[in-house]
Amino acid sequence: MIAPALILFTLFLVYPVIYSLGFSFTKFQGFGSPEFIGLQNYISLGQDPFFWRALQNTVIILIVSIVLLVPGSFALALLLRRKVPGGGALRALVFGPAIIAPILVGLIWVFILDPKIGLLNRLLGFVGVAPVQWIGGDTLTPYAVALVFIWGSIGFAMTIFYAGRQVLPEDVMEASELDGATGFQQLRYVTIPMMRETFAIVTILMITSVFKIFELVYMLTGGGPVHRSETLVSYMYFTTFTNQKYGLGMALAVIITVLGAVVSVAYLALSRERKTA
Amino acid sequence: MSFSITTAGRARRLAAAALVTAAAMGSLVGCSSSSSASDGPTTISLSMQNPDVKTADPATWAIIQAFEKANPNVKVEVTGEAVAEHLQKLSIAAQSDTLPDVFWVYKSNAEDMLKGGKLMNLSPVLSELGLSDKFPKSTVSNFTSGDAIYGVPYQGLLTGLWYNKKILQDNGLQVPVTFDDLLAVAKKLKEKGITTISNGANQSAFSVWSFLTDLDRFGYADKIDGILNSTGSFNNADFLRLYQHIAELRDAGAFASNVSTQTYQQAVDQFTSGKAAMLDAGVWGSSAIQKSSVAGNVGFWAGPQFKDGVGNQNIIMNVASAPLVVSAKVSKDNAKLAAVKKFIAFYYGDEAQQMLVDNGQPPVTTYKPKVDPSSQSALRAALDAASAPGVSSPESQPDLLVSTPVANAMYDSIYGVIQNQLTPQQAVDLVQAAVQSK
């Protein structure tokens, strides 16, 4: 019975991955025949400073996002779960950015973060703060991308936490209250442990999302200046399609896939270890 | 037993379904191939590097409309994507032998395709149509490989710096001639908070046309063969001096502070709204400039002459852009071949060349266009600059003589210095590394 699903999965997922892996060992510029060059593409990437910069930026975005996004969205979910007037509207408002296409999110934030015409620097200018190069410089851009990513994703993560919290058995909560647990103790010893799976899902989703960030960078800076703000995926796009180095681009794609899988599996393993401990 | 019978039955059903699907697809393919062979109109496909040819490339669109009107038995099916997607599509099509009949492609890609037997040699067609002598010699030699002419010019590439006469006059400045003049202009305008040269690196790293011409003012044409065959290097004293001059311009405040995040279109808007004294662009910008409030005050400058440059300094970049090429498959289909010949004859005829001019493009043949001095004042200024006494043009724009990765490294090197991310030495090293990276 699983044959049709297996065929589709093989056709649309496994085959492209294997195909890309094969191409990553070739020199291919789009036209003509691919030439087998062994590990040369991987060696070239190791010597490419722009690749290391893209990796560094991706790691910065990953750390900032996970550190702020997971607890932030969880806190929002708890906050918006309370019965307050207009709670539903507030939840919809927070979820709003999640339904905006990332390319538009990038466009919106260009007009906020641009060092010359951006809203933020104009507002800061009113209180005498000198213009800050939020994007387009070589220091703050990955942090700015992370914050924009958080803005776009927090509603989605919050919704998962909200749903996860809703299905927790209320009798357990009541029992802990009867036992005299404070709000913080209930959160620390009941809610969070019972939502461990939800935390894992959100974290894994955010890790994989960070490894796919492309449109935000494309709109905010185009990867510049001189590839200083590239993420792994935006640099892969540049390498493959703009520079027409398909073999090298596929090597980058393989690295991104492996890194994403390793980080996700490592987190899951860590998470399971804590559960069994 | 029953399990195996069921499985065999399923396999037969699957096989039958696959056959039916294949037959249906075969009939569809048969329909599409027979359409060009039937007595109805012949369709030729034209694939371009613009997502919306009608609005983004009105000159080509106008030519196609006029061609179809003049040739009711030929239909031109136009498609287009942004450059990267367009090239990706061509790459896939080249592998599956489904290239469009006529398409835009970079010169370096076209040469690869020619080697792979994917392109038609247009030499006999151009001779038959009497077009060989209608193109400048440099255009033909640019698109020739061995004995084959693999491409015809899509549009002209007349590039330089548009300037706002009023901004210069209001600040007591003359149109610069030399690099020192330009530097003085930048310093003066910086004091007034005005951007001297408007350009934008975001999603448009290629928008460094005037600096590419400057490379030719430092001997690029004579050096490039040596650089590519490893007897020379991009990291040479002449090019290094040019990059040092770009750094001097940057330090003088010539560029917008948001050059990193600004797109080319925003740079154009900055100029057409009177907020920048110059715009690094080409003749294609004339339409937007003509429609703007600065139209009556605009001139076109070939770029600065350098006292420490190499060779002729009085040059302007007036060359053919990337070519239009024809798929080799067209030569095997008589109806298509005849239709493509008609299209080429029309495209490079005087009527179509005037349409190019009417849509803000210079002609690509030797045709002398009619330009209205008032409603096309911007275009007139560019064409006048190109035909000024004593001015000559290189044979090709520097980035069109190298592979795509090297061209991209050139753009990065120039913007890297403009954005103060690379020193001049790092900039030339970056390009040399791309040259060496085979």
Side-chain angles (χ1 to χ4, degrees), chain A residues 47-115:
Chain A
Q47 296 164 344
D48 179 359
F50 296 144
F51 164 74
W52 289 108
R53 186 62 183 240
L55 180 61
Q56 180 190 322
N57 289 339
T58 306
V59 170
I60 290 172
I61 295 169
L62 181 67
I63 292 170
V64 173
S65 299
I66 299 302
V67 167
L68 296 181
L69 182 62
V70 176
S73 54
F74 177 63
L76 259 179
L78 295 182
L79 210 63
L80 293 177
R81 196 175 162 272
R82 294 184 178 181
K83 291 195 176 9
V84 287
L90 270 175
R91 281 195 298 277
L93 202 65
V94 175
F95 188 73
I99 58 168
I100 303 175
I103 201 95
L104 291 178
V105 171
L107 188 63
I108 292 165
W109 281 88
V110 165
F111 289 102
I112 296 172
L113 297 175
D114 185 280

Side-chain angles (χ1 to χ4, degrees), chain A residues 27-28 30-31 50 114 116 135-136 138 218-222 225-228 237 241-246, chain B residues 84-85 88 90-91 95 109 113 195 202-203 257-258 260-261 270 404-405 408 412 416 419 421 430 437-438:
Chain A
K27 179 190 173 192
F28 181 53
F31 304 102
F50 296 144
D114 185 280
K116 189 175 180 186
I135 52 173
D138 58 356
Y218 183 75
M219 285 310 294
L220 288 171
T221 64
V226 202
H227 307 290
R228 297 282 198 274
Y237 180 86
F241 300 115
T242 308
N243 246 359
Q244 294 181 274
K245 290 188 167 182
Y246 288 78
Chain B
E85 285 78 20
Q88 183 190 2
L90 289 181
S91 169
Q95 289 169 72
N109 295 141
M113 289 172 136
T195 299
N202 189 358
Q203 299 163 45
S257 60
N258 64 338
S260 308
T261 52
Q270 191 180 30
T404 307
N408 284 325
D412 283 341
Q419 294 166 108
Q421 297 296 321
L430 180 74
S437 170
K438 301 287 185 186

Side-chain angles (χ1 to χ4, degrees), chain B residues 401-412:
Chain B
L401 295 174
V402 295
S403 65
T404 307
V406 177
N408 284 325
M410 273 187 201
Y411 309 146
D412 283 341

Side-chain angles (χ1 to χ4, degrees), chain B residues 123-138:
Chain B
S123 188
V125 173
L126 297 181
S127 297
E128 183 188 328
L129 298 174
L131 288 173
S132 302
D133 296 332
K134 287 191 83 173
F135 296 119
K137 279 196 173 61
S138 60

Side-chain angles (χ1 to χ4, degrees), chain B residues 57 59-60 63 135-136 153-159 162 282-287 300 316-321 347-350 352-371 376 378-384 386-387:
Chain B
D57 187 1
T60 301
I63 291 173
F135 296 119
Y154 155 59
Q155 283 177 358
L157 203 53
L158 171 51
T159 68
W162 295 97
V283 71
W284 59 85
S286 66
S287 297
F300 191 84
I316 190 166
M317 192 59 69
N318 184 17
V319 296
S321 68
Y347 196 103
Y348 298 102
D350 291 351
Q353 292 302 297
Q354 184 60 43
M355 281 178 200
L356 280 179
V357 175
D358 294 342
N359 285 281
Q361 299 287 340
V364 289
T365 64
T366 50
Y367 171 71
K368 299 286 177 208
K370 300 175 195 77
V371 182
Q376 291 178 294
L379 178 63
R380 179 79 267 168
L383 295 176
D384 286 348
S387 58

